[in-house]
Amino acid sequence: MKKLSNKQKLWLIIIIAAVAVILQYACGYPLFAQILVTVVGAIVALSMFIGMVKSIRTGDYGVDLLAILAVVATLAVGEYWAAMVILVMLTGGDALEDYAARKANTELKSLLDNTPQIAHVVTDGTTNDLAVKDVQVGAEVIVKPGEIVPLDGKVITGQSELDESSLTGESRPVSKIPGDEVMSGAINGANSITIKVTKLAKDSQYQQLVKLVKTAEESPARFVRLADRYAVPFTIVAIVIALAAWWWSGNPVRIAEVLVVASPCPLILAAPIAMVSGMSRASRNGIVVKTGTVLEKLANAKTGAFDKTGTITNGQLAVGEIIPASDSNFSHDQLLQLVASAESESSHILARSLVDYAKKQAVSLSPVQDLQEVTGKGITATVDGYQMKIGKLSFVDPDGKQAILPSTAVYIEINGQYAGAVTFVDHIRPEARQTMNALRKMGVTNLMMLTGDQAAFAKEVAKQVGITDVKTNLLPQGKIAALKAIPLDQHPVFMVGDGVNDAPSFVTADVGIAMGAHGATAASESASVVIIRDDLSRIAKIVEIAKDTIKIAKQAVLIGIAICIILMLVACTGILPAFVGAMFQEVIDTVSILWALKARKVKLD
């Protein structure tokens, strides 16, 4: 039989309560009403007891014991209407907590949808499509333009540029020639290549990425509910007061009267409502928080780990400088005009950035003649009568007379002479340094960068934004290892990234935060938090919201506990019947809820 959800349990309890009311007051059968409520109450109490035992075995001590005692005590002394009120409050709190902890169940869908399924296998000169799982090591596979590389292998014929951003997170395409290794999951560029398979599908890079996410999903970080921290001392106090009232009065009914007002509804309701309110506030700030528990982790976060490309930087290569050679006869503007004209018909990512830059500078482009693309090297073309070669330094200057620039660049030869270079940069987000400073002020003192980029570039970016702990040349496995190596006293840890390659890191960290404005779907769905606005300062904002939310949630819980203790002391005197005490719970709930709702608008954002 399918297990009922907490929402379904709430509706069932409400229906049973309505039936009991009809039986007693409309039909005149109070005994039947009492039997119905008693049986239902006993079943719920038994179910809660079984759940409590399971929780205790795993080391979790929650608010269930006090709830069970309140239900059992009221039923034992015949105060079945008080028991019913408690049951409604308990199931209502559980249903609300489920709403606050709405879970994303499609973390792997996008990643799995993009998994290569078919490989073009060459056998005896003919090409056949086989399922990727059936391709053996040593097979020759053709990867057509625009296709995803289906298995790990080594290029044996052809040259092309591959987009490996789904694996490394880096935006620059990588040139591949015969002898170079390629990873499954990379996207082929404009030319077909033939690879020799070196790993089975189950061992290939993309499948390892899927496996990493699955493994991390199966062992999520444990985190205790906010209210549970107060449950044990509150339960002990309530039991002591109830027993003292019985001993003092000699009347066992006093136990029920005390425990009714001690039922943990404020603890169950206040925290989830504050969480929902905090999540609502986050949403207004362009931040989607998928579970309420995430806010508690972020409020106490001590370590923030960041990917570089697309996270700390914009993730889009743009023209940095136009650098004419020292002995060149061409000015800055002339060089830009010639190079942009030559690249205007190229589909290369750097060419598109260069042409876009020229257009923004209002540069008039000239017609291109004799354009030829030399795969993996560059292009040759004729512009305004000039014979041009544009591309890698080894292509433009095979004799090695010129020094390579310390950044991504294309080099230019005009009429057989080196004429200069155009550099490209991935600009740091202007809000990056301010964000790091804000996080430190809020207690996130350990800031680190985990990137697949080279050390020189990554460390320079880290220096500019104020990060000193930098780990470079990392594939997804390396990022996970770095996160797992963080000492326990530096947890909770949040990881910020924007690519599919960050998905395993998101579910390894205590909180995964995806820059989802332009990021991959799998990354966004594997994350606990998704930043909808393309703004890194939202990271500091969600930590601020989390801290405000948890502060108010604690206040709401403590206010509820304080009122409960006052009412327990009043109940000791016997002037507060069990049913009246149960109704007083509504007052306590209302106060706690109204206070918790402050988390929705702590301040104007």
Side-chain angles (χ1 to χ4, degrees):
M1 183 176 178
K2 186 178 179 181
K3 185 178 179 180
L4 294 177
S5 68
N6 286 324
K7 183 178 180 180
Q8 290 171 328
K9 289 179 183 177
L10 173 61
W11 281 110
L12 181 60
I13 292 296
I14 291 174
I15 291 171
I16 290 172
V19 171
V21 169
I22 292 172
L23 285 173
Q24 177 158 339
Y25 296 103
C27 301
Y29 298 120
L31 180 60
F32 288 167
Q34 182 174 359
I35 293 173
L36 176 61
V37 174
T38 302
V39 170
V40 172
I43 292 173
V44 172
L46 179 62
S47 174
M48 292 176 66
F49 178 76
I50 293 172
M52 182 189 71
V53 171
K54 290 180 179 178
S55 298
I56 291 175
R57 286 177 178 175
T58 61
D60 292 336
Y61 300 92
V63 298
D64 296 333
L65 177 59
L66 197 53
I68 294 170
L69 291 175
V71 172
V72 171
T74 49
L75 291 175
V77 298
E79 296 285 352
Y80 57 95
W81 286 119
M84 180 54 70
V85 172
I86 295 171
L87 291 176
V88 172
M89 292 297 102
L90 288 174
T91 53
D94 288 341
L96 186 59
E97 189 168 21
D98 279 354
Y99 173 72
R102 65 187 80 167
K103 295 182 179 179
N105 294 320
T106 56
E107 285 86 356
L108 294 176
K109 184 177 184 299
S110 179
L111 191 61
L112 295 173
D113 286 347
N114 289 328
T115 303
Q117 301 293 329
I118 299 296
H120 311 303
V121 180
V122 180
T123 307
D124 298 328
T126 60
T127 303
N128 299 295
D129 288 347
L130 293 180
V132 170
K133 63 183 178 63
D134 296 329
V135 180
Q136 300 299 310
V137 172
E140 295 182 5
V141 173
I142 295 176
V143 184
K144 299 178 181 180
E147 288 187 340
I148 297 175
V149 177
L151 302 105
D152 288 3
K154 184 175 292 186
V155 179
I156 54 177
T157 61
Q159 297 179 341
S160 190
E161 291 192 336
L162 273 63
D163 177 1
E164 296 183 341
S165 61
S166 64
L167 303 167
T168 66
E170 299 309 314
S171 56
R172 292 190 295 271
V174 180
S175 178
K176 298 293 183 180
I177 60 176
D180 288 344
E181 294 183 350
V182 294
M183 295 183 290
S184 62
I187 301 174
N188 190 20
N191 301 294
S192 292
I193 57 173
T194 302
I195 66 171
K196 187 173 184 178
V197 176
T198 56
K199 291 182 181 179
L200 295 174
K202 64 184 180 68
D203 300 320
S204 289
Q205 184 68 30
Y206 204 78
Q207 288 297 334
Q208 290 298 314
L209 189 62
V210 174
K211 188 185 298 182
L212 286 169
V213 177
K214 287 182 176 178
T215 301
E217 282 274 324
E218 289 169 358
S219 55
R222 291 174 59 249
F223 220 78
V224 182
R225 289 187 307 174
L226 173 66
D228 290 349
R229 295 177 182 168
Y230 303 96
V232 173
F234 182 56
T235 300
I236 293 173
V237 169
I239 292 174
V240 168
I241 293 176
L243 292 175
W246 180 22
W247 174 81
W248 180 58
S249 67
N251 186 356
V253 174
R254 295 289 171 85
I255 295 178
E257 292 173 345
V258 170
L259 291 180
V260 162
V261 294
S263 67
C265 295
L267 280 74
I268 293 174
L269 290 172
I273 290 174
M275 298 298 183
V276 173
S277 299
M279 292 161 70
S280 174
R281 180 183 168 198
S283 178
R284 296 198 311 273
N285 281 271
I287 307 165
V288 176
V289 179
K290 294 182 179 179
T291 65
T293 320
V294 167
L295 293 175
E296 187 174 1
K297 298 178 186 180
L298 285 174
N300 297 287
K302 295 180 180 178
T303 298
F306 294 81
D307 183 34
K308 181 180 74 67
T309 303
T311 303
I312 293 177
T313 66
N314 289 316
Q316 299 177 344
L317 291 172
V319 173
E321 292 183 273
I322 311 295
I323 308 175
S326 57
D327 58 351
S328 173
N329 295 323
F330 297 93
S331 67
H332 173 283
D333 293 342
Q334 287 176 311
L335 195 62
L336 173 60
Q337 192 271 336
L338 289 171
V339 176
S341 297
E343 294 278 23
S344 62
E345 296 184 15
S346 173
S347 59
H348 192 283
I349 184 173
L350 298 183
R352 294 197 299 270
S353 296
L354 181 57
V355 173
D356 289 343
Y357 175 79
K359 289 180 178 179
K360 290 179 181 178
Q361 301 298 316
V363 172
S364 298
L365 303 183
S366 300
V368 183
Q369 297 176 333
D370 305 323
L371 175 67
Q372 292 186 356
E373 294 202 26
V374 183
T375 304
K377 295 183 179 180
I379 67 169
T380 62
T382 301
V383 178
D384 293 339
Y386 294 106
Q387 302 295 321
M388 304 186 65
K389 291 174 70 175
I390 305 170
K392 291 184 175 180
L393 185 59
S394 59
F395 177 55
V396 171
D397 180 35
D399 297 330
K401 295 179 181 179
Q402 303 295 326
I404 191 169
L405 296 172
S407 62
T408 302
V410 294
Y411 300 86
I412 307 148
E413 177 190 283
I414 300 177
N415 291 342
Q417 298 293 320
Y418 178 74
V422 179
T423 65
F424 294 83
V425 296
D426 187 2
H427 291 294
I428 296 173
R429 293 177 182 269
E431 72 275 14
R433 188 174 186 89
Q434 182 181 356
T435 299
M436 303 306 157
N437 291 337
L439 288 171
R440 285 194 184 91
K441 290 179 180 178
M442 288 186 287
V444 187
T445 54
N446 183 24
L447 297 174
M448 59 196 306
M449 181 189 291
L450 307 178
T451 177
D453 205 354
Q454 299 176 10
F457 301 147
K459 288 182 178 179
E460 179 59 29
V461 170
K463 180 180 178 182
Q464 292 186 45
V465 301
I467 294 177
T468 56
D469 188 356
V470 185
K471 293 177 173 56
T472 60
N473 297 302
L474 299 179
L475 288 175
Q477 294 93 329
K479 291 184 179 181
I480 287 178
L483 290 170
K484 288 184 176 179
I486 296 172
L488 289 178
D489 62 357
Q490 292 297 312
H491 281 248
V493 176
F494 63 79
M495 172 70 193
V496 186
D498 78 322
V500 177
N501 64 297
D502 295 313
S505 300
F506 288 159
V507 289
T508 300
D510 297 305
V511 178
I513 305 178
M515 299 293 292
H518 303 293
T521 302
S524 298
E525 294 190 348
S526 295
S528 305
V529 178
V530 181
I531 307 298
I532 302 301
R533 299 180 189 174
D534 193 20
D535 180 2
L536 190 64
S537 69
R538 299 294 97 183
I539 304 299
K541 174 56 71 175
I542 188 55
V543 173
E544 176 191 338
I545 290 172
K547 286 184 173 295
D548 287 344
T549 299
I550 299 306
K551 178 181 178 181
I552 290 171
K554 288 180 178 179
Q555 291 172 346
V557 169
L558 292 174
I559 288 172
I561 289 175
I563 298 175
C564 280
I565 291 176
I566 293 172
L567 288 176
M568 281 190 284
L569 295 175
V570 173
C572 286
T573 65
I575 63 174
L576 197 65
F579 180 77
V580 175
M583 297 307 296
F584 261 109
Q585 275 294 320
E586 295 291 346
V587 177
I588 302 173
D589 296 342
T590 300
V591 173
S592 298
I593 288 170
L594 290 176
W595 195 274
L597 286 172
K598 288 177 60 179
R600 192 171 185 274
K601 286 187 178 181
V602 178
K603 61 184 73 173
L604 185 62
D605 294 319

